[in-house]
Amino acid sequence: MWERLREWFSERKQKLDLFDETNVERYGNPLYLLGQIVYFSWIVVIVSGILLMIWYEPTTHGAYNSILRIQHEIPFGWLIRGMHKYGADMLIIAITLRIYRMYFLGEYKRPNELSWMILFGSLVLAMISGLTGYLLIWNQRAFWAAKVVLTVAVYLDQLPLIGQTRFGSAIAFAFLGGPAEGQGTLTRFYAIHFGISVLLLILVELYFIFTRRKRFNLSPTALVILLLMLVAASWIFPAEMGRRADPNRTPLPILSDWYFLALYQYVKYTPPLWAGLGPGLLIAYGMLVPFLDRSKGRRPSERPFFTVVGIMALTYFLVFTALILFNIAVIGRDPHIVLVLTALTLTLGFLLEIRYRRKVRAAEAAAPRPAPRAVPAARPAPSSGA
């Protein structure tokens, strides 16, 4: 078993393609520029983050004021902060679109399973880094957004047997650094935000050292255009400050960065236990889908069930995000509608999968069989007396 696992890992390691470096000939298609955009935005986030650390003060009393100073007093501080924020947004968008591209085109299949798992895991880490970095502003919106996310972890205490260990509360306490949000929380979020960046930076550098691949395959013109896009966004839409965090005033609705908004609406709709389990199950599905999808084809029409699941996930993300933004939720009605729609959609996907597989089997049965190969005439046995 270990030998087979080692062979599997060795083969996938040779085919690793984290930033589309092996698809240079496809760069005429914008979908295959996404990997390079991921790497570009990653570098922007790292460089701007290091600069921000010079002036940032990770204390509940000084964090908000230090961000104000960066934004309004430090020369080009607004630009550094904007590049960090919009670079992170670009990173999340590019890696999400690339994951969707790999999903719908079946690019996660052999021999790309390891590339897919690393990219999907990187998206989860990037979102955690975004959440922890978001709190560092220590404004009202970030304070309450972090409180909602940490409350979700406590719901896991309702799990049978496992919940008795209160590991959900332990997770929340580990992030909080105490019984409530305060200096301990800010210190831990700062450490996690910094730690994830350092870990990924080391892993990415090791990846390029061992694969000896070129980091940037984009033309200088493309790099300048991406850079100008970030500068323009930072200038036209300065990174928001909001109000200073106030534990005694709850904003309605409680909102977070755009990529967590759908999760907030999901938490509204579901019972506490499923609010805690749902994100974990979604991550598990994403990591394991290369092994769950046993179909032979790569085109969406050749994998009806997985295509339907992908469309459903994308639709829910967009609809839930819109609903939380406009504060629309009828708790007594909407969860039942969502549950019925989910069941119907998954059933439809399952039926389409069965129909497609029957169609393939019928086509294989109706296909003319190859003519049997002629059996060569037996050679006469050599005479023993010759």
Side-chain angles (χ1 to χ4, degrees), residues 176-190:
L176 281 170
E181 272 185 85
Q183 181 58 52
T185 316
L186 188 62
T187 303
R188 279 164 172 74
F189 272 48
Y190 187 53

Side-chain angles (χ1 to χ4, degrees), residues 245-368:
D246 183 355
N248 299 315
R249 294 183 62 182
T250 307
L252 291 175
I254 299 175
L255 299 176
S256 179
D257 257 347
W258 58 270
Y259 40 85
F260 277 114
L261 292 178
L263 173 65
Y264 282 34
Q265 189 73 4
Y266 168 78
V267 171
K268 272 188 179 181
Y269 281 162
T270 50
L273 178 58
W274 280 103
L277 283 177
L281 292 175
L282 184 61
I283 293 172
Y285 173 81
M287 293 293 285
L288 297 176
V289 71
F291 310 102
L292 298 174
D293 183 0
R294 310 302 296 175
S295 58
K296 296 178 181 177
R298 289 176 179 262
R299 291 182 297 181
S301 59
E302 296 171 327
R303 303 174 292 121
F305 179 78
F306 293 94
T307 301
V308 168
V309 171
I311 294 173
M312 183 180 71
L314 180 59
T315 304
Y316 278 1
F317 174 78
L318 296 175
V319 172
F320 280 14
T321 298
L323 291 177
I324 191 79
L325 281 174
F326 294 104
N327 197 21
I328 300 173
V330 181
I331 303 302
R333 180 199 63 190
D334 293 355
H336 304 292
I337 295 176
V338 173
L339 188 62
V340 170
L341 285 176
T342 303
L344 289 176
T345 306
L346 292 178
T347 304
L348 174 65
F350 184 69
L351 293 176
L352 288 174
E353 185 77 29
I354 293 176
R355 181 188 174 196
Y356 173 75
R357 290 181 181 245
R358 284 180 177 171
K359 189 176 176 182
V360 170
R361 282 198 294 270
E364 290 175 349

Side-chain angles (χ1 to χ4, degrees), residues 28-64:
N29 184 341
L31 289 177
Y32 287 91
L33 293 175
L34 292 169
Q36 288 291 293
I37 295 175
V38 169
Y39 185 67
F40 166 79
S41 49
W42 163 244
I43 295 299
V44 169
V45 169
I46 289 293
V47 173
S48 56
I50 291 172
L51 293 174
L52 288 174
M53 288 173 65
I54 297 172
W55 299 287
Y56 178 68
E57 182 181 338
T59 65
T60 53
H61 296 292
Y64 187 83

